[in-house]
Amino acid sequence: MDVNVVNHPLVATRLSVLRDKETGDPEFRSTLDELTSLLVYEASRDLPVRVGEIHTPVSPAEGYQLDSPPLLVPVLRAGLGMADAARRLIPESTMGFVGLARDEETFEPRAYMESLPEDLSGSRAIVLDPMVATGGSLLHSCRLLADRGCEDIMIVCVLAAPEGIDRLAESGLPLTMVTASVDDGLNENAYIVPGLGDAGDRLFGAIRRF
């Protein structure tokens, strides 16, 4: 699986704000929105385009349109914090949803909702989830897409652990990844180290703090 770690000063500074335990919920949300725009920009670099003629106020010129806008798939709940930024950057896109919760004993995902097109043959999907820890949630979501015929699945995440990357790579699914960082690994509670805590809790104002 190809993993693109985006090396850019703007990505690094915004990631640092997200990591900082002193960052409050409102700033966390706005910074994740900004960082998502930077990551989706990289993820969309090779989207196919159609070329046609347009007319400027001065003369004809070549114009471009996305040939096959992707399906955006935020993984609920934390992926919602990335959805608006991705949609603003690619307004031509459509959006589906997968709802997963983590079992705190097994660390495996429990699905509670999915809303996806039945046929994704020939489509590209961009899956949005801030964290790839064990990889279980992303693997479940990507299998749903592959089962519907999607053969081009891009994962956009803020942080990834090597354990999660390995699990996704071994799946045999048609996956690529864009991320701001590959961190050291997982602790005994399957949280990414150094990580940034629980992205969902920090996005939506839960009491838990790290």
Side-chain angles (χ1 to χ4, degrees):
M1 182 178 69
D2 180 51
V3 177
N4 176 14
V5 180
V6 181
N7 182 15
H8 192 286
L10 297 181
V11 170
T13 56
R14 281 150 180 80
L15 176 57
S16 296
V17 173
L18 295 180
R19 289 192 190 276
D20 191 340
K21 69 178 183 179
E22 300 303 323
T23 298
D25 297 338
E27 187 178 6
F28 189 94
R29 286 192 293 272
S30 63
T31 303
L32 178 59
D33 185 271
E34 293 171 358
L35 181 52
T36 299
S37 294
L38 297 171
L39 296 175
V40 172
Y41 177 85
E42 282 296 321
S44 59
R45 185 175 291 277
D46 64 344
L47 288 177
V49 296
R50 295 194 306 270
V51 182
E53 185 177 78
I54 61 172
H55 293 272
T56 79
V58 179
S59 70
E62 278 192 347
Y64 301 87
Q65 289 184 318
L66 290 182
D67 188 43
S68 181
L71 173 72
L72 303 176
V73 185
V75 179
L76 309 184
R77 64 181 169 142
L80 285 177
M82 305 174 74
D84 285 347
R87 193 68 186 270
R88 283 198 308 272
L89 202 64
I90 314 176
E92 307 93 332
S93 63
T94 53
M95 188 171 288
F97 300 90
V98 176
L100 299 171
R102 188 173 87 151
D103 187 304
E104 294 300 332
E105 293 184 2
T106 66
F107 308 132
E108 290 300 309
R110 173 178 54 81
Y112 62 85
M113 190 270 280
E114 62 182 68
S115 177
L116 297 168
E118 287 300 317
D119 185 4
L120 290 171
S121 302
S123 299
R124 170 180 290 207
I126 298 178
V127 181
L128 306 166
D129 197 352
M131 317 281 282
V132 179
T134 66
S137 296
L138 265 299
L139 185 56
H140 180 89
S141 302
C142 293
R143 278 183 175 148
L144 291 175
L145 296 168
D147 288 346
R148 288 163 167 78
C150 188
E151 297 180 354
D152 188 348
I153 304 170
M154 172 72 74
I155 296 166
V156 175
C157 61
V158 172
L159 296 176
E163 296 91 330
I165 291 174
D166 290 344
R167 185 173 182 180
L168 291 166
E170 291 166 1
S171 71
L173 298 176
L175 307 177
T176 54
M177 178 184 290
V178 171
T179 185
S181 176
V182 176
D183 277 14
D184 297 338
L186 302 177
N187 65 15
E188 66 277 7
N189 295 316
Y191 284 104
I192 300 174
V193 178
L196 50 77
D198 187 297
D201 285 352
R202 298 187 68 184
L203 275 167
F204 301 114
I207 294 173
R208 175 194 281 175
R209 287 293 180 266
F210 294 83

